[in-house]
Amino acid sequence: MSITLTMPRLSDTMEQGTIIRWNVKEGEEVASGAIVADIETDKATMEMQAYDDGVIAKILVGEGTQVPVGTPIAMIAEEGEDPAALDAAAPSGAVATPEPVAEAPAEESPSASTPTPATSPATSPATPAQAGSFGDAARMRVSPVARRLAEEHGIELRSLVGSGPGGRIIKRDVLAAVETAGANVEGASGEVTPVAIPMPATTAPDQALAATPGSVVHEVPALESTEVAVSGMRQTIARRLVESKATIPHYQVKMRFSMDALMDLRRSLNEKLAGEGVKLSVNDFIVRACALSMAEHPMFNASWAGDRILVHGRVNVGVAISLPEERGGGLVVASIRDAHLKSLRMISAESKHLAVKARDKGLSTEEMSDSTFTISNLGMFGVDDFTAIINPPNSAILACGAAIEQPVVRDHQLAVGWEMAATLSLDHRVIDGAMAARYLGTLKGMIEEPMRLLA
């Protein structure tokens, strides 16, 4: 008996997922436990396994397509079954997918492997009248983009025949109707005669460029826009950032650090560790310095809990990682647990591993959870300084700019030195300004005397 792979529920809040990449092709044999696809959920990109042996008979949902949990996305032929026979049966099986009212924009361009709606002997979706049998427009199978376009152009949805999965009306159906309507109007009226608009009697005399009676008013074409599908991860990022700004009373405290000693120590350590393939980054020093400072200032390792403040027992530093634009962009926060107990080398190795995995395959929920403080560093992009939005339930986030070689004053003398600007964004319910100043003072001491970070 054939096996139907459906969109799995990979997190407790997941309602739909996007197939980022298929790791198998049609006709390819798979074994139980094989990673067949990378799925983007509302929290992370995760791997999907096959739990049976067989042959991939048909891929039902293409890469980049977002579908609800439980939707069939592929079919596997078991031993003794003919994959070609399952391939032929795939379209009718695909209609058994859950029927959401609103579909993600990614469904506007179904791939060639998207199954076509099945028809019974008694009915066929070939006529507009039958399309209206789905009920009123609000209950029809219409994608959000198609519905909006129809409203903008005055297209009656009941008059359309959906070409999407299950007879769903999608963007191209509405656009085709718009083109047909435009052709009918142009054919009936011929060339459009420009309309002369007389000037009102109250027009000021100095409006020399205004239209006068008998002048022709030319229509200016509207700006063209391109719709970009919003991934589930981007939707989650947007929701959490709005929640953060709306519920957390943010304020910022900024301080500049002398980076001369740290840059010298980093250069010396990297020369000695080059043979072992170790290269420490400035961010590795900052992570350890922040963690040690948090151990001295427990309120920076705390969260607001309504009627109380929770001071956490473990110091877990979150590191913001930017994702490539071809995967939808955005940020994820990887958690380095017990960072105050880890050496610079351990922090460096863990940071690199998490960054590579986040950009290539995606982090697991565990790798992104339980951070108690976050660092966002844009120094590698040449940014001087910036402010960041707190990552709930944290109470603080440190935004680090670039370490810049510039004119500075050292021992009352003008010199050239390395400096970095850092800005703390803080939850005023948990951390007061004086507390923030003391934390930054401790952090400044560790960064400007980096030998303390080697202990």
Side-chain angles (χ1 to χ4, degrees):
M1 181 177 181
S2 63
I3 301 166
T4 300
L5 296 180
T6 61
M7 176 61 69
R9 187 181 299 277
L10 299 174
S11 72
D12 53 350
T13 59
M14 178 179 172
E15 296 181 358
Q16 53 191 7
T18 302
I19 298 176
I20 299 299
R21 178 174 58 247
W22 281 106
N23 299 317
V24 294
K25 299 178 180 179
E26 292 182 0
E28 182 177 334
E29 293 186 3
V30 293
S32 176
I35 305 301
V36 296
D38 294 337
I39 307 292
E40 182 186 72
T41 73
D42 59 335
K43 295 182 177 179
T45 299
M46 306 179 72
E47 297 174 337
M48 174 182 173
Q49 296 184 7
Y51 293 97
D52 298 277
D53 299 339
V55 176
I56 300 295
K58 184 69 174 178
I59 292 177
L60 304 177
V61 177
E63 294 180 352
T65 303
Q66 186 180 67
V67 295
V69 170
T71 301
I73 58 176
M75 299 183 69
I76 295 180
E78 293 186 298
E79 184 178 357
E81 288 186 302
D82 182 6
L86 294 182
D87 191 345
S92 59
V95 178
T97 63
E99 185 175 329
V101 175
E103 294 295 324
E107 292 200 6
E108 293 302 323
S109 301
S111 65
S113 62
T114 302
T116 56
T119 59
S120 67
T123 61
S124 172
T127 66
Q130 289 171 326
S133 64
F134 284 101
D136 57 25
R139 297 176 56 191
M140 294 174 64
R141 296 171 62 110
V142 186
S143 75
V145 175
R147 188 181 299 278
R148 187 176 69 252
L149 284 173
E151 292 175 355
E152 291 175 356
H153 294 278
I155 301 298
E156 175 58 53
L157 288 174
R158 290 175 178 272
S159 67
L160 303 182
V161 178
S163 63
R168 182 174 293 108
I169 298 173
I170 60 177
K171 179 179 178 181
R172 66 184 179 196
D173 301 324
V174 178
L175 292 179
V178 171
E179 292 179 3
T180 302
N184 291 339
V185 171
E186 185 175 351
S189 60
E191 295 184 358
V192 178
T193 304
V195 178
I197 302 178
M199 288 294 296
T202 57
T203 303
D206 59 344
Q207 292 179 326
L209 297 180
T212 58
S215 64
V216 176
V217 178
H218 297 281
E219 182 181 355
V220 179
L223 294 176
E224 294 184 0
S225 301
T226 301
E227 292 187 359
V228 178
V230 179
S231 66
M233 182 180 296
R234 174 66 73 177
Q235 293 174 15
T236 301
I237 291 172
R239 184 174 61 253
R240 286 177 59 83
L241 291 180
V242 171
E243 174 191 350
S244 177
K245 290 295 287 186
T247 61
I248 298 178
H250 283 63
Y251 74 102
Q252 284 76 33
V253 179
K254 179 178 177 180
M255 186 174 284
R256 301 190 71 85
F257 304 143
S258 169
M259 301 291 286
D260 295 342
L262 190 150
M263 298 300 283
D264 289 341
L265 177 61
R266 174 177 176 259
R267 186 182 306 108
S268 175
L269 291 175
N270 282 340
E271 289 176 356
K272 295 176 181 179
L273 297 172
E276 301 178 37
V278 176
K279 186 176 182 180
L280 303 175
S281 69
V282 171
N283 204 63
D284 297 332
F285 287 85
I286 295 173
V287 169
R288 177 150 171 79
C290 285
L292 293 175
S293 299
M294 290 164 64
E296 291 190 26
H297 300 270
M299 297 308 287
F300 280 78
N301 199 45
S303 300
W304 179 257
D307 58 348
R308 62 195 186 281
I309 294 174
L310 300 178
V311 180
H312 305 293
R314 301 179 68 180
V315 177
N316 301 334
V317 177
V319 179
I321 301 172
S322 62
L323 301 179
E325 292 185 8
E326 56 269 23
R327 293 189 56 197
L331 290 172
V332 294
V333 177
S335 182
I336 299 178
R337 301 172 187 272
D338 300 313
H340 63 307
L341 303 178
K342 294 179 178 177
S343 67
L344 286 170
R345 291 182 61 170
M346 294 173 66
I347 291 172
S348 177
E350 190 169 345
S351 297
K352 289 182 174 62
H353 167 72
L354 291 171
V356 170
K357 186 179 179 185
R359 292 172 181 139
D360 291 349
K361 300 175 62 178
L363 299 176
S364 66
T365 302
E366 182 179 358
E367 290 168 327
M368 295 188 295
S369 62
D370 300 332
S371 67
T372 56
F373 181 94
T374 305
I375 297 172
S376 181
N377 192 338
L378 293 179
M380 65 285 295
F381 298 107
V383 174
D384 291 348
D385 63 79
F386 67 105
T387 60
I389 299 175
I390 296 172
N391 179 37
N394 297 176
S395 296
I397 183 171
L398 184 71
C400 299
I404 301 174
E405 196 172 20
Q406 59 187 7
V408 295
V409 176
R410 299 280 191 263
D411 298 325
H412 306 287
Q413 299 291 326
L414 186 63
V416 176
W418 293 90
E419 289 214 338
M420 182 187 76
T423 304
L424 269 175
S425 293
L426 303 140
D427 185 342
H428 217 320
R429 299 171 300 180
V430 180
I431 302 170
D432 297 327
M435 297 164 62
R438 286 192 289 270
Y439 175 85
L440 283 176
T442 301
L443 183 62
K444 180 181 179 71
M446 292 189 177
I447 287 179
E448 295 186 351
E449 299 175 33
M451 292 297 294
R452 296 166 59 182
L453 303 177
L454 302 181

